Amino acid sequence: METETKNTVPMWLAVAITVVISLPFGLWLKEWSVPLWAAFIVWAEYFVLGGKPAGLKIMVPSYILGVIGAVLVLILMVEMQKLLPDPQLVSATDVAIGIAFFIGFCVLIYAMKFMPVTGGAGTLPFFNGISMGLATFFVGIYAAYGGMKVDDLLVPIVTGIPAILAGLLGGFLGWFNVTILFPRPVTKAVSGHQPAHV
């Protein structure tokens, strides 16, 4: 006899329910709405890390550290744009942005070896946090997140907030999706007969 897990609710239905559960966070909260695209990416991460709550212990801190790292690099970028406002290759301040990103990401990625949760299974959520931190800055719609009117160095911090909230929502969606499958153990008989070799 072998035991395997079978879902009570089919995956297609659980995913549809989970998507509908997520919609209010992106549609109803007005200026505090969470970027659902970022939450859905983190939701997928939950499955990549095994689809079990234990994965959240790696995923959540790694992701948040990634967002914080992106925010710090963006702060460096804002400062570099002030120091080098004129040089450009194609568009305004592109030289300053390139220098800031080169220095910032060299330091950030090197620092991964000193962060206990960003290696191994934590690498994907860490890089995902970086990409979501950059994305919520560069899409431009989160610069006044929650109605906060800020400028200069605070813009990267403000745009990092929805990235972190989306990560937390995504972790919840992953957990919720698996939970509503209502997996149950099923015993399966194992045949003792071996197939004949021809």
Side-chain angles (χ1 to χ4, degrees):
M1 299 294 239
E2 278 182 3
T3 303
E4 61 180 28
T5 303
K6 186 167 182 170
N7 296 328
T8 305
V9 174
M11 180 63 92
W12 59 267
L13 181 56
V15 168
I17 291 168
T18 305
V19 169
V20 171
I21 292 293
S22 75
L23 292 179
F25 296 96
L27 299 176
W28 296 352
L29 301 178
K30 297 184 181 168
E31 67 269 12
W32 289 102
S33 289
V34 174
L36 292 182
W37 43 269
F40 293 157
I41 290 168
V42 177
W43 171 11
E45 254 176 47
Y46 184 80
F47 286 95
V48 171
L49 293 179
K52 298 195 180 325
L56 292 172
K57 293 177 185 172
I58 295 168
M59 192 171 94
V60 170
S62 296
Y63 177 88
I64 291 173
L65 282 171
V67 174
I68 291 169
V71 166
L72 293 174
V73 172
L74 289 166
I75 288 171
L76 177 62
M77 179 197 75
V78 171
E79 279 301 297
M80 194 65 71
Q81 287 174 315
K82 287 188 217 166
L83 289 172
L84 300 170
D86 298 325
Q88 69 178 60
L89 296 173
V90 176
S91 59
T93 71
D94 59 0
V95 171
I97 294 169
I99 292 170
F101 275 30
F102 181 80
I103 294 169
F105 283 109
C106 280
V107 172
L108 180 61
I109 303 310
Y110 184 80
M112 280 180 69
K113 47 170 88 170
F114 304 108
M115 296 182 242
V117 293
T118 57
T123 303
L124 174 64
F126 181 71
F127 277 94
N128 192 18
I130 291 171
S131 62
M132 294 304 104
L134 294 174
T136 51
F137 178 86
F138 281 111
V139 295
I141 61 174
Y142 298 103
Y145 190 67
M148 292 183 263
K149 305 286 187 214
V150 297
D151 59 8
D152 208 6
L153 293 177
L154 294 178
V155 174
I157 295 169
V158 169
T159 60
I161 295 169
I164 289 174
L165 293 176
L168 296 174
L169 176 60
F172 167 76
L173 294 175
W175 170 84
F176 180 78
N177 187 176
V178 172
T179 300
I180 65 169
L181 291 170
F182 298 108
R184 64 186 191 285
V186 176
T187 305
K188 183 172 129 183
V190 179
S191 171
H193 299 291
Q194 297 296 322
H197 293 289
V198 178

